[in-house]
Amino acid sequence: MNDTDLLEKLMSFFKEKGYIINNHMDILKIKLDYDDIEVLKKYLNEFQEIQYKKFIVRCLSKRNIKNVSNYLINQYKLSNDNDYRWVVANALLTICDKSLLDSYIEIVLEKKYQTSRQMIVLLLGKIKKVESKKALLSLLDNHDYDVLSQTLNSLNNIIDDEIYKKIKMFISDSNMLIIKKDLILIKENNQLYNLVDIEGFIKLIVREANKGISKYEKMNR
């Protein structure tokens, strides 16, 4: 059975349950019960084309949905498609299952996942644990450029004395010079996913850093 036929079969499943399904996009509106979730997970395994898999992941992207995040983490790790991994990571951010912190940290510290880690880095900023902070500071210290803006964004959410000092050091003139040299070399060797504008990228991370600095200084006036 091809993917088009599978999608028709999935729509029929929801129609038979009494949902109004005029097209596949209506599935996104459904408040899923346990059986719905299990059926969607089954179809996610059966679909072959990435566009269909992305759609099913979006269907499962609901705040606090149960019995999904572990499954999506496995999907993430098994895929070699960076765009698909990003969609899965975005779903994990939406669901926000805070019990899987160790799995999230394992992913964000693995550079082979490139920019698809960005949404999971943002998720760490929502899980205000010592382990989250340690992982985020590691990303900052290592100048992990694929997720640097998101790292600063998350650190801003949990900012304290230590993070404030780290961010101040990070945007020092000497460190910015190192970063600029790094980015020029990385771009020349095509080693960073989707890097186009070095100056724009630097402005972005400085802006994020300054948000955290401003937030901390307001908190401590």
Side-chain angles (χ1 to χ4, degrees):
M1 187 177 293
N2 63 38
D3 283 350
T4 303
D5 291 337
L6 277 173
L7 187 59
E8 288 294 331
K9 189 176 177 182
L10 179 60
M11 290 168 60
S12 294
F13 165 80
F14 285 109
K15 286 178 182 178
E16 288 171 7
K17 288 193 69 174
Y19 296 110
I20 298 173
I21 305 293
N22 296 313
N23 60 65
H24 69 282
M25 298 301 289
D26 288 328
I27 300 173
L28 292 167
K29 305 171 188 175
I30 294 173
K31 185 176 181 180
L32 303 172
D33 61 26
Y34 177 82
D35 289 339
D36 299 336
I37 292 167
E38 293 305 304
V39 166
L40 286 169
K41 286 158 66 173
K42 179 177 81 74
Y43 275 84
L44 182 54
N45 279 332
E46 293 181 5
F47 280 122
Q48 297 300 311
E49 294 184 33
I50 290 296
Q51 61 175 332
Y52 290 95
K53 287 181 173 291
K54 286 180 178 178
F55 171 71
I56 298 299
V57 171
R58 291 189 177 105
C59 290
L60 292 167
S61 301
K62 298 185 185 293
R63 181 78 171 171
N64 295 325
I65 195 171
K66 305 297 182 185
N67 304 313
V68 172
S69 291
N70 253 326
Y71 178 79
L72 290 179
I73 286 171
N74 288 331
Q75 284 281 317
Y76 182 98
K77 290 180 177 179
L78 289 171
S79 177
N80 292 317
D81 187 294
N82 195 65
D83 291 335
Y84 177 61
R85 287 197 304 246
W86 194 96
V87 172
V88 173
N90 191 54
L92 290 168
L93 174 62
T94 300
I95 297 166
C96 198
D97 184 342
K98 296 182 180 180
S99 69
L100 298 172
L101 177 58
D102 288 346
S103 295
Y104 303 144
I105 290 173
E106 179 187 346
I107 288 171
V108 300
L109 295 180
E110 182 54 76
K111 285 192 172 186
K112 73 178 182 180
Y113 295 130
Q114 300 176 309
T115 53
S116 69
R117 297 172 290 156
Q118 290 172 347
M119 297 298 102
I120 302 180
V121 171
L122 291 178
L123 180 51
L124 291 188
K126 295 179 178 292
I127 306 175
K128 300 180 179 180
K129 301 283 188 180
V130 172
E131 296 86 352
S132 299
K133 173 182 166 181
K134 183 178 178 182
L136 290 166
L137 286 175
S138 175
L139 295 173
L140 187 70
D141 289 340
N142 291 326
H143 291 183
D144 194 331
Y145 296 112
D146 275 327
V147 294
L148 199 46
S149 173
Q150 291 77 21
T151 297
L152 287 162
N153 183 293
S154 284
L155 286 170
N156 292 346
N157 288 336
I158 58 173
I159 197 158
D160 59 15
D161 291 352
E162 181 184 8
I163 294 172
Y164 172 75
K165 291 173 184 175
K166 286 273 191 179
I167 292 177
K168 289 277 282 187
M169 290 173 56
F170 176 78
I171 62 167
S172 65
D173 290 342
S174 58
N175 196 51
M176 282 294 106
L177 184 60
I178 291 170
I179 288 173
K180 187 169 184 177
K181 289 179 178 178
D182 280 352
L183 290 172
I184 290 171
L185 183 60
I186 288 168
K187 186 175 182 181
E188 286 175 352
N189 293 307
N190 295 316
Q191 291 176 331
L192 186 61
Y193 187 85
N194 206 26
L195 176 65
V196 177
D197 178 8
I198 290 176
E199 292 298 333
F201 181 78
I202 290 173
K203 287 178 182 178
L204 173 64
I205 59 175
V206 170
R207 185 165 62 246
E208 285 295 340
N210 282 327
K211 286 179 185 176
I213 291 169
S214 176
K215 178 180 178 180
Y216 177 86
E217 291 176 347
K218 286 180 181 177
M219 289 165 47
N220 290 275
R221 282 177 181 167

